[in-house]
Amino acid sequence: MYRVVASRAFRAGAPQKAFGCWFNLSRSAHTLPFATLEADEISGSKPGEVYNLVQGKWTGSSNWSTLLDPLNGEQFIRIAEVGEKEIQPYVESLSKCPKHGLHNPFKSPERYLLYGDISTKAAHMLSLPKVSNFFTRLIQRVSPKSYQQALSEVQVTQKFLENFCGDQVRFLARSFAVPGNHLGQQSHGYRWPYGPVAIITPFNFPLEIPLLQLMGALYMGNKPILKVDSKVSIVMEQMIRLLHYCGLPVEDVDFINSDGKTMNKLLMEANPRMTLFTGSSRVAEKLAVDLKGRVKLEDAGFDWKILGPDVNEVDYVSWVCDQDAYACSGQKCSAQSVLFMHENWSSTSLLSKMKDLADRRKLEDLTVGPVLTFTTEAMLEHMNKLLKVPGSKLLFGGEELKNHSIPSIYGALKPTAVFVPLEEILKDGNYELVTREIFGPFQIVTEYKQDQLPLVLNALERMHAHLTAAVVSNDPLFLQEVIGNTVNGTTYAGLRARTTGAPQNHWFGPSGDPRGAGIGTPEAIKLVWSSHREIIYDYGPVPGNWEIPPST
């Protein structure tokens, strides 16, 4: 309870007078004035606690669940899990928000400026080494990845906030006018909020994905309820406290920890006008039905990379392949799932270099680590099924990590690659097996000959999720052929093409699906978090010689 009270006390005075003394952070009880814990002190003997936020108040729950440390199995975080009988305050909170939102171009426009100021202050906070390190370490504690990978997530988030400082939020609501048919008539197009909305995000980017979508929703005038995968929700709980410290009105956002069944019930009763879901395709399709299509989806991606006929910079390309497939232990929705290698690359040292790079990864520095959604047994079982396909072979990996204390509910697999012949991939039965997304350090490698590009394009056409892709070639005609016959929403093209590592300066999201969501850019925010409203002004005057015409 003390933590809640202390946090409120900091928030109460922060927006007016704390901004000027942010460099005196060490004077607070928890080093950082918004924080209720120390990232490096969370342990079985001193567990962290995660609360819920509803109608402007941090609250506990009648049921507290406990998370296991992914690295050693200690019970290190307690979460106030909201049950199905406790959702009414959240339903009421969303229902208080009208369909026209908390602000729009005709209502409370000063709030666009407020959110520009909040973004300015939050961006500055994340630029401070103590704050940046706090969130980097907190991410590492719950979704283990290397320090640099976790830091990159914080830095992308900080740059995103910088992009929407000052007047940039109100520019998101820019309108346009078209001349009418007669004097006094004009049509105006406006970006309009949905009002009450929901955001559901996964575990793999505990800060970047929920924060970028949350701020986009708020910028456009919506009132969101945010649910982050409970395994990592402690990160956004602390981030919301930072946003409060930077001036975010406490009633603008609700934050809930619950299981999927409870959240589904909440959505059905609260009936948000729009729900953003990032995660598995199976859950995405269920939500689309339950919510009658009022969804935007960034679902799973079995992401592909094609190496074109022009061979260059083998060291660099092999390094990018390693990063795309195995950074964050392959737990990125943009991770390289299958590599289509032109036969010209087979005579190079590409595969041996990829093996050497994979062998460098070790648990000690978290360049490989726990897999949070697949067990070791499940990944090895999938690998063994693939190895039964004629012509398949294990290129490297395929073993459990050595000398680890990762709990058995998670996975611990060495970076793994399995070669499957292209002709076998395309066969019914094999195709479904090969294109099953394994959210871990696991990829498929295959080879195509000069005249087999149509077979590769056929394999891509049959895929159902079209998130990221890479075409590694500087041959403009080859690029033209592949790009023109594919659909992935975020596609990198050229010798330095990759599938992962999306910065804040370009669109990230799937394509080929009208429900597809984007993230990061003004275009993404406007698409996901606002709808078009047309207002036609018709002031007159009525012509002086006007008479009532015949009925039509």
Side-chain angles (χ1 to χ4, degrees):
M1 184 63 189
Y2 165 75
R3 294 180 177 180
V4 180
V5 173
S7 176
R8 289 174 181 165
F10 279 121
R11 286 203 310 272
Q16 293 80 24
K17 57 187 179 183
F19 187 72
C21 56
W22 275 344
F23 288 93
N24 267 331
L25 300 178
S26 61
R27 296 184 181 180
S28 76
H30 291 285
T31 304
L32 301 174
F34 61 85
T36 61
L37 51 86
E38 296 281 1
D40 288 317
E41 293 180 4
I42 302 172
S43 64
S45 60
K46 191 175 181 181
E49 293 182 345
V50 184
Y51 291 84
N52 303 289
L53 176 66
V54 62
Q55 300 186 39
K57 297 179 181 179
W58 290 104
T59 65
S61 172
S62 61
N63 176 52
W64 288 77
S65 62
T66 305
L67 295 180
L68 301 184
D69 189 319
L71 292 175
N72 60 29
E74 281 189 349
Q75 297 184 353
F76 79 139
I77 295 176
R78 299 177 66 241
I79 298 178
E81 291 270 1
V82 174
E84 292 185 49
K85 296 181 180 180
E86 299 175 300
I87 63 173
Q88 197 55 38
Y90 301 88
V91 174
E92 292 174 357
S93 183
L94 280 185
S95 67
K96 290 178 182 177
C97 178
K99 294 177 183 178
H100 54 264
L102 300 178
H103 63 265
N104 61 53
F106 288 73
K107 171 188 173 182
S108 303
E110 65 277 3
R111 282 174 52 90
Y112 292 115
L113 303 183
L114 169 67
Y115 274 97
D117 291 342
I118 293 168
S119 296
T120 301
K121 295 173 183 177
H124 179 70
M125 285 290 280
L126 286 182
S127 74
L128 300 178
K130 283 186 177 181
V131 179
S132 175
N133 181 69
F134 170 78
F135 282 106
T136 300
R137 289 292 297 126
L138 198 55
I139 291 168
Q140 283 192 294
R141 296 305 308 278
V142 294
S143 182
K145 58 184 81 172
S146 70
Y147 189 88
Q148 185 56 51
Q149 285 287 317
L151 176 62
S152 294
E153 183 176 346
V154 178
Q155 291 172 333
V156 166
T157 303
Q158 191 258 339
K159 288 294 183 183
F160 167 85
L161 290 167
E162 282 186 352
N163 285 345
F164 295 97
C165 294
D167 286 328
Q168 296 308 309
V169 174
R170 71 164 137 204
F171 288 158
L172 291 170
R174 188 191 302 270
S175 61
F176 64 84
V178 177
N181 293 334
H182 50 255
L183 184 62
Q185 186 186 75
Q186 280 189 342
S187 59
H188 288 247
Y190 295 95
R191 300 310 304 178
W192 218 255
Y194 290 103
V197 299
I199 303 169
I200 304 172
T201 62
F203 74 91
N204 55 333
F205 287 88
L207 180 67
E208 181 182 343
I209 294 176
L211 191 279
L212 268 59
Q213 295 291 15
L214 176 68
M215 297 308 290
L218 291 166
Y219 292 157
M220 299 311 295
N222 303 289
K223 166 151 185 167
I225 181 169
L226 172 64
K227 174 184 163 26
V228 181
D229 188 316
S230 293
K231 291 191 290 290
V232 299
S233 61
I234 194 169
V235 178
M236 270 309 293
E237 193 240 35
Q238 294 296 301
M239 185 65 205
I240 291 172
R241 294 179 187 276
L242 181 150
L243 292 172
H244 287 164
Y245 181 78
C246 294
L248 172 71
V250 293
E251 299 85 4
D252 279 14
V253 176
D254 291 337
F255 177 72
I256 188 171
N257 297 284
S258 72
D259 61 20
K261 185 179 178 183
T262 298
M263 189 63 190
N264 191 262
K265 180 178 175 64
L266 190 158
L267 293 174
M268 298 302 289
E269 292 192 15
N271 196 29
R273 302 293 296 169
M274 210 285 289
T275 294
L276 177 281
F277 175 80
T278 304
S280 77
S281 296
R282 179 183 59 81
V283 177
E285 294 299 334
K286 179 181 179 352
L287 284 176
V289 173
D290 290 348
L291 300 177
K292 298 180 173 62
R294 294 191 304 274
V295 293
K296 286 289 184 181
L297 307 176
E298 186 198 311
D299 59 355
F302 188 82
D303 303 302
W304 50 266
K305 177 182 288 181
I306 297 177
L307 304 185
D310 47 325
V311 175
N312 284 293
E313 303 290 350
V314 177
D315 284 347
Y316 182 83
V317 172
S318 60
W319 173 76
V320 175
C321 286
D322 176 76
Q323 285 292 108
D324 282 346
Y326 304 126
C328 300
S329 299
Q331 296 173 103
K332 295 184 179 183
C333 52
S334 55
Q336 177 178 304
S337 301
V338 58
L339 176 66
F340 294 91
M341 184 176 56
H342 189 278
E343 59 182 335
N344 291 351
W345 288 87
S346 300
S347 59
T348 72
S349 57
L350 175 77
L351 292 180
S352 64
K353 289 180 182 295
M354 286 171 56
K355 179 183 184 302
D356 292 342
L357 290 166
D359 288 343
R360 294 193 311 173
R361 296 183 174 275
K362 52 186 183 296
L363 187 59
E364 289 76 11
D365 60 6
L366 294 178
T367 49
V368 67
V371 176
L372 301 189
T373 55
F374 279 87
T375 63
T376 306
E377 291 73 18
M379 289 186 284
L380 290 176
E381 180 184 3
H382 179 68
M383 179 191 75
N384 290 328
K385 289 180 180 178
L386 288 168
L387 292 176
K388 292 179 181 179
V389 175
S392 297
K393 59 184 177 181
L394 179 65
L395 295 176
F396 52 82
E399 298 178 352
E400 184 172 355
L401 294 174
K402 307 294 185 185
N403 304 316
H404 71 82
S405 54
I406 296 170
S408 60
I409 60 171
Y410 300 136
L413 187 72
K414 290 182 178 180
T416 298
V418 175
F419 180 89
V420 183
L422 178 60
E423 296 87 346
E424 293 294 332
I425 289 176
L426 292 170
K427 292 180 180 178
D428 290 338
N430 288 348
Y431 187 83
E432 291 72 21
L433 174 66
V434 170
T435 57
R436 181 189 178 199
E437 183 180 15
I438 300 297
F439 214 55
F442 195 100
Q443 68 170 320
I444 303 295
V445 178
T446 192
E447 179 189 82
Y448 68 100
K449 300 187 183 303
Q450 183 69 30
D451 61 350
Q452 288 184 314
L453 182 59
L455 297 183
V456 175
L457 296 175
N458 178 32
L460 305 183
E461 178 70 16
R462 289 169 63 181
M463 293 178 187
H464 73 275
H466 303 287
L467 185 55
T468 71
V471 191
V472 182
S473 174
N474 280 349
D475 180 341
L477 297 181
F478 182 82
L479 292 175
Q480 181 174 283
E481 178 73 10
V482 175
I483 294 172
N485 287 281
T486 54
V487 70
N488 291 51
T490 305
T491 302
Y492 299 86
L495 179 64
R496 299 185 63 176
R498 61 192 194 275
T499 65
T500 67
Q504 70 293 331
N505 64 310
H506 70 59
W507 163 283
F508 184 86
S511 186
D513 188 332
R515 305 166 301 178
I519 191 170
T521 61
E523 291 78 16
I525 292 171
K526 286 183 276 191
L527 172 84
V528 175
W529 295 116
S530 69
S531 58
H532 182 90
R533 185 181 187 187
E534 193 85 3
I535 297 177
I536 297 91
Y537 293 98
D538 208 341
Y539 296 114
V542 176
N545 59 351
W546 184 86
E547 296 180 356
I548 297 177
S551 298
T552 60

